[in-house]
Amino acid sequence: MRSKKQEKEMSLRLRAQLTPRSGAGALKGDLRKKGICRIEAKTTKNKSFSVTLDMIRKIEEAALPYGEMPVIVIEFNDGNGHKIADIAVIPTYALDILGEQ
């Protein structure tokens, strides 16, 4: 299953913790870099992916109380386990924070 590999690769790359049961328990989101960001990871073999308001609200509700930036990472793959491209979706207020750096 590509989604589990995606999560593991991201945890190593970002030095972030994998969330037990991919957020199905009390702790939400697939990955967490404590105090920095909370990540919801998605994969698709399609050429498009819809980000819904429910997805945004879910990761914001998990991240914001801890002062973490909510992030949705979408990986596009070929359906055979090979990543083609990936992108991070962040709120525009995160751009303001990055602009201050």
Side-chain angles (χ1 to χ4, degrees), residues 36-53:
I36 306 292
C37 65
R38 187 83 54 114
I39 302 168
E40 184 67 26
K42 301 291 184 186
T43 63
T44 184
K45 61 183 177 185
N46 299 317
K47 293 184 179 191
S48 65
F49 183 89
S50 294
V51 175
T52 67
L53 191 54

Side-chain angles (χ1 to χ4, degrees), residues 65-82:
Y66 297 93
E68 297 167 348
M69 184 180 304
V71 180
I72 300 171
V73 174
I74 304 157
E75 177 189 283
F76 295 90
N77 63 65
D78 66 2
N80 293 313
H82 301 102

Side-chain angles (χ1 to χ4, degrees), residues 23 25-32 37-40 52-72 91 93:
L27 196 59
K28 299 298 180 195
D30 295 317
L31 297 115
R32 180 181 190 200
C37 65
R38 187 83 54 114
I39 302 168
E40 184 67 26
T52 67
L53 191 54
D54 285 344
M55 274 185 226
I56 294 166
R57 286 187 176 148
K58 178 182 167 188
I59 196 65
E60 279 188 329
E61 288 171 3
L64 296 179
Y66 297 93
E68 297 167 348
M69 184 180 304
V71 180
I72 300 171
Y93 58 78

Side-chain angles (χ1 to χ4, degrees), residues 85-99:
D86 56 357
I87 189 166
V89 179
I90 60 172
T92 53
Y93 58 78
L95 291 176
D96 296 336
I97 294 167
L98 292 172

